[in-house]
Amino acid sequence: MNLGVDEPKGHFAELAENIGKEDLLLVLVWRWASAGVGGVRVWPKVEDVFIDRALPLAALRDALHIARGGSFVDRASCPDGCRPCLCQHHGEPLNAKRKRERLQGPESARPSAKVSFASNFGGLKRMLATRGADATAVKYGFCERSSAARTFVEFMARTSTTR
C-alpha cells in the first residue's frame, strides 16, 4: 500500500475456501523516496511490513462483511439461478445492496451495465471499517481470540496514521 496517496489501495479478496491453513498474507506499506541531486533517483521505500497467517484474517474480513449487511452466494439460491451442482458463484461476496464484489460473482448482481463489480470486498483498510456497535463487537471479539487479527488491526491502525 502506497502511503503517499489519499486512499492507499491493497486488496485481500481471495475466498476463504481457497486459502490454506499455512498460507500467509504479506502487506508492504511504502512511499516514494528520492535521493541525489534534485531527487533524480526515485524508488519505493518500505516503511512497514505485516505478515501472518491469512485464514484468520479472511475469517475476520468475512465476519465484518456480514456484520455490515453483506452476504455470500449460496449455491442453493444463486442470483443467476444456477443449478446447485454446477454453480460457480458459491461463496462469492455480495454487498449490502446485493451487488457482486468480485468479477467472478453472479452476472445478475452486477452494479450496472457499465460497472462489472463493486470491488470493495477485501480492501485492506475498508475491510476493518466498523460503524455500528455490532460490527465493532465482531472486530474486537476477533482481536481477543486471534493474535493474527489483533496484530493486523494494530498494524493497519499504525500505518493509517503514518503519513
Side-chain angles (χ1 to χ4, degrees):
M1 292 185 349
N2 181 351
L3 288 174
V5 297
D6 289 335
E7 190 175 344
K9 294 287 184 182
H11 275 80
F12 174 46
E14 186 60 53
L15 298 181
E17 67 187 38
N18 299 331
I19 299 172
K21 283 177 35 176
E22 303 302 321
D23 288 348
L24 300 173
L25 174 65
L26 169 66
V27 181
L28 301 172
V29 179
W30 60 277
R31 69 176 75 246
W32 289 112
S34 59
V37 178
V40 179
R41 185 170 167 251
V42 178
W43 72 95
K45 179 184 177 200
V46 174
E47 299 282 341
D48 207 343
V49 176
F50 170 87
I51 187 166
D52 209 326
R53 292 172 299 119
L55 207 48
L57 301 174
L60 168 64
R61 175 202 63 200
D62 294 355
L64 288 172
H65 177 71
I66 291 168
R68 286 190 293 270
S71 62
F72 293 90
V73 173
D74 184 320
R75 67 175 37 94
S77 58
C78 178
D80 280 1
C82 300
R83 288 182 39 201
C85 62
L86 300 175
C87 183
Q88 296 179 352
H89 307 118
H90 182 75
E92 287 292 334
L94 302 175
N95 65 25
K97 294 180 180 178
R98 307 281 299 154
K99 300 301 179 188
R100 71 185 190 182
E101 288 286 337
R102 295 182 355 134
L103 184 59
Q104 301 87 340
E107 184 63 25
S108 65
R110 287 175 63 113
S112 72
K114 293 184 178 182
V115 178
S116 58
F117 61 105
S119 80
N120 293 321
F121 180 76
L124 291 173
K125 285 183 72 172
R126 288 183 181 178
M127 75 183 229
L128 296 179
T130 56
R131 291 189 190 120
D134 290 345
T136 301
V138 167
K139 179 165 67 176
Y140 291 110
F142 265 85
C143 289
E144 288 175 11
R145 296 185 307 275
S146 167
S147 63
R150 181 176 51 258
T151 304
F152 182 70
V153 169
E154 290 168 355
F155 170 81
M156 291 305 293
R158 180 175 69 246
T159 58
S160 292
T161 60
T162 308
R163 283 263 165 156

